Amino acid sequence: MILSEKYKAFLRCNAPVEFLEGTTAAGKTTVGLFKFMLKVADSPKKMHIVAADDTGAAEKNIINKDLGILDDFGVLTQYNGNGSKEYKMPHIILKTSQGSKIIFVVGYGNKKKWQDALGGQYGCLYIDEINTADIDFVREAAMRSDYLIGTLNPDDPSLPIYKEYVNCSRPLPEWEEETPKEIRDELKEEPKPGWVHWFFSFVHNPALPKEELDRIMTNTPKGTKIWKNKIQGLRGKATGLIFPNFDRKQHVVSSAWVKQQIKIGKIKFRKFSAALDTAYSSKSPDTFAMIFQGITEDRRLITLAERVYNNADLTIPLAPSDMAVKFIEFLDRCQKEWGLAKNVFVDSADQATITELRKYKRLKGCIYNINEAYKALEIIDRIKLQLGWIQQGCYLVVEDCVEHLGEIDRYSWMEDKDKPEDRNDHTINANQYSWIPYRQLIGFEEEK
């Protein structure tokens, strides 16, 4: 087994929970299994679990493959696919100096079977492609194990496996820069003690033949979500994405870059605008989304700043009077940093917040005109415009707007209807409210 320095560091690392995320053919399964078996051998417990979608997948991708468990550990292992007199479930026997260890092979794709399989406490748990696993299985199995290792290719960031598990881990400091910034930005849940996130790509797999890598690259269409997930190692929905042509390398910029372009005269703003989308539920992930944008003289729309709140995260929920104050504070900060958005727009369905903002203006005074968002432009037409602007390079987002970038990565079509899902769209709605009145100033018409 040929190992890169990063994989050697992974094998030396002693952590209670480890997630191996990255590109396809990066060697995550091969090296992850090897470490798992070493942990099993070292564990004081006898019972352990290796899990895949079903036992067939486990046999193909884990047990019998080249550099799989049987190949690596040879005569020290015995696989009983049909169970044995002592254990009815499929299992692997690993002979160690501390006696034989039992590794049960569990399929997380069949809830009834894995519910029957789990019971008692286990030493080590290996979950292959943990992003596709039944989240109830992960919860149940993880709480019963001393050590957990999960492998995954980047997937839909809205999956609960990320919020509850993967995003609670962190890269080791010496390897942090090798994790794509898009993924580092997602690792923002409250960190769990000792949980480690590893990102591996092709460059960490020196055993991968160049011909095989060339074949993988050639056979995967560029610009698709499978290219993004499997080749670039970036998270994002695989199908149904509304803005598939948004490319962070082309359309994301830093605020420092924008300010430098302003300084040298390459960017001149013609109009600033801002908007607020609201949702007051404390029982849902609904978000208060504030967006501040600038439209340049060369017809580009740049999302410059955002601020989001969620009542579900707050001990004392925000009321419309609170949002009025916070929105004015947001506008004042943006005015000082970028410029004045004289007209601002608020979700017209939220008359309470509009009333509070107008009362604030009347009683305390402010320089902003409070307008109801113009919704006569249909959502489908808004999306068409944005897709065109993205394609023309006229739709840019400052990298600090992580919520907006995350929604662009998740905003999707409904599976059974030709309309967008009613989620992952709060900053997108605010973004649209902000530019709708000025849409004639953005992008280029096709030559006739």
Side-chain angles (χ1 to χ4, degrees):
M1 187 184 295
I2 306 173
L3 295 175
S4 64
E5 289 303 312
K6 190 170 187 179
Y7 271 123
K8 290 177 183 177
F10 162 67
L11 290 175
R12 289 191 296 265
C13 180
N14 186 24
V17 174
E18 297 180 279
F19 297 105
L20 281 62
E21 186 171 8
T23 69
T24 189
K28 302 184 299 295
T29 301
T30 298
V31 187
L33 281 173
F34 185 77
K35 180 171 182 176
F36 168 76
M37 295 297 284
L38 296 180
K39 297 287 279 188
V40 168
D42 194 48
S43 172
K45 290 184 177 171
K46 183 175 183 178
M47 307 296 184
H48 310 270
I49 293 175
V50 61
D53 184 53
D54 54 37
T55 53
E59 290 173 358
K60 175 177 175 290
N61 300 324
I62 295 174
I63 299 169
N64 295 321
K65 79 180 193 87
D66 290 343
L67 298 179
I69 290 175
L70 298 185
D71 194 13
D72 278 346
F73 293 88
V75 295
L76 296 177
T77 56
Q78 177 184 325
Y79 175 51
N80 296 318
N82 296 316
S84 63
K85 289 183 179 179
E86 189 174 2
Y87 303 105
K88 302 301 181 185
M89 290 174 51
H91 61 274
I92 301 162
I93 299 174
L94 174 65
K95 299 171 185 174
T96 76
S97 59
Q98 302 177 50
S100 293
K101 304 296 178 76
I102 306 299
I103 305 168
F104 293 111
V105 180
V106 176
Y108 51 66
N110 187 319
K111 190 163 189 174
K112 186 177 186 309
K113 285 189 175 181
W114 68 250
Q115 283 179 327
D116 291 341
L118 292 181
Q121 299 296 310
Y122 298 89
C124 304
L125 169 65
Y126 179 98
I127 305 180
D128 188 49
E129 296 185 359
I130 195 171
N131 53 302
T132 68
D134 183 328
I135 190 63
D136 289 330
F137 167 79
V138 177
R139 293 168 181 153
E140 187 75 21
M143 65 177 285
R144 297 174 180 275
S145 304
D146 300 330
Y147 171 73
L148 164 63
I149 180 171
T151 64
L152 66 158
N153 294 125
D155 202 343
D156 177 0
S158 65
L159 290 172
I161 188 65
Y162 287 108
K163 181 175 179 61
E164 296 184 27
Y165 289 92
V166 181
N167 290 345
C168 298
S169 62
R170 298 291 188 270
L172 295 176
E174 58 267 36
W175 302 108
E176 186 172 4
E177 289 303 312
E178 289 201 359
T179 304
K181 185 178 185 301
E182 294 91 332
I183 290 181
R184 295 203 310 269
D185 289 343
E186 294 270 351
L187 302 177
K188 60 185 179 182
E189 299 300 328
E190 182 178 354
K192 299 291 181 72
W195 288 25
V196 177
H197 181 278
W198 296 92
F199 182 86
F200 292 106
S201 69
F202 308 118
V203 300
H204 302 116
N205 186 8
L208 179 67
K210 183 181 183 303
E211 309 78 57
E212 185 176 347
L213 176 58
D214 290 344
R215 178 187 59 78
I216 292 171
M217 303 285 276
T218 301
N219 293 350
T220 308
K222 286 188 177 180
T224 62
K225 282 299 151 184
I226 193 170
W227 176 273
K228 180 175 184 176
N229 296 158
K230 298 293 183 75
I231 306 301
Q232 293 181 300
L234 302 178
R235 297 176 185 175
K237 285 197 68 168
T239 58
L241 202 67
I242 287 176
F243 299 118
N245 60 341
F246 188 88
D247 184 339
R248 292 198 182 208
K249 290 183 179 178
Q250 296 181 42
H251 303 115
V252 177
V253 295
S254 68
S255 59
W257 178 86
V258 177
K259 291 173 182 177
Q260 176 64 19
Q261 294 296 298
I262 294 171
K263 186 175 181 180
I264 63 177
K266 291 289 186 69
I267 287 181
K268 295 180 180 180
F269 283 106
R270 180 175 182 179
K271 176 73 68 175
F272 292 105
S273 183
L276 168 65
D277 184 51
T278 61
Y280 287 95
S281 172
S282 61
K283 299 180 180 179
S284 76
D286 282 347
T287 302
F288 305 99
M290 305 174 188
I291 286 287
F292 185 90
Q293 302 184 113
I295 300 171
T296 67
E297 290 187 356
D298 60 355
R299 307 185 68 83
R300 287 182 288 177
L301 175 71
I302 306 179
T303 302
L304 297 166
E306 69 176 14
R307 188 71 174 92
V308 297
Y309 298 92
N310 188 327
N311 267 346
D313 297 332
L314 300 175
T315 305
I316 301 175
L318 294 168
S321 57
D322 301 314
M323 287 310 303
V325 173
K326 291 185 179 298
F327 190 42
I328 298 298
E329 290 174 348
F330 172 74
L331 294 172
D332 286 344
R333 286 197 303 273
C334 292
Q335 186 271 322
K336 290 176 182 177
E337 184 173 7
W338 298 106
L340 173 63
K342 189 77 172 73
N343 288 291
V344 300
F345 304 88
V346 182
D347 185 354
S348 57
D350 183 8
Q351 288 298 313
T353 300
I354 292 172
T355 299
E356 289 293 337
L357 280 162
R358 288 175 175 167
K359 183 170 74 173
Y360 183 102
K361 181 179 176 72
R362 186 174 68 252
L363 297 178
K364 299 188 177 182
C366 72
I367 56 178
Y368 311 106
N369 295 326
I370 310 302
N371 303 282
E372 295 187 12
Y374 179 74
K375 293 185 177 180
L377 185 67
E378 296 290 335
I379 291 177
I380 297 298
D381 293 323
R382 301 178 205 172
I383 291 170
K384 287 178 183 177
L385 286 170
Q386 286 174 283
L387 285 168
W389 297 339
I390 293 169
Q391 199 65 29
Q392 293 173 353
C394 294
Y395 189 101
L396 303 178
V397 181
V398 166
E399 63 186 1
D400 301 329
C401 300
V402 293
E403 294 292 336
H404 187 54
L405 291 170
E407 286 190 353
I408 289 174
D409 278 343
R410 296 189 290 271
Y411 191 39
S412 302
W413 299 103
M414 295 176 67
E415 292 185 4
D416 55 346
K417 295 180 182 178
D418 292 332
K419 58 187 295 188
E421 294 177 339
D422 186 19
R423 58 178 178 169
N424 299 315
D425 61 355
H426 299 292
T427 67
I428 287 172
N429 286 337
N431 170 287
Q432 293 170 345
Y433 300 158
S434 175
W435 59 251
I436 284 174
Y438 310 113
R439 59 192 183 278
Q440 74 278 5
L441 304 178
I442 307 165
F444 308 101
E445 294 184 4
E446 292 184 12
E447 295 183 5
K448 296 182 180 179

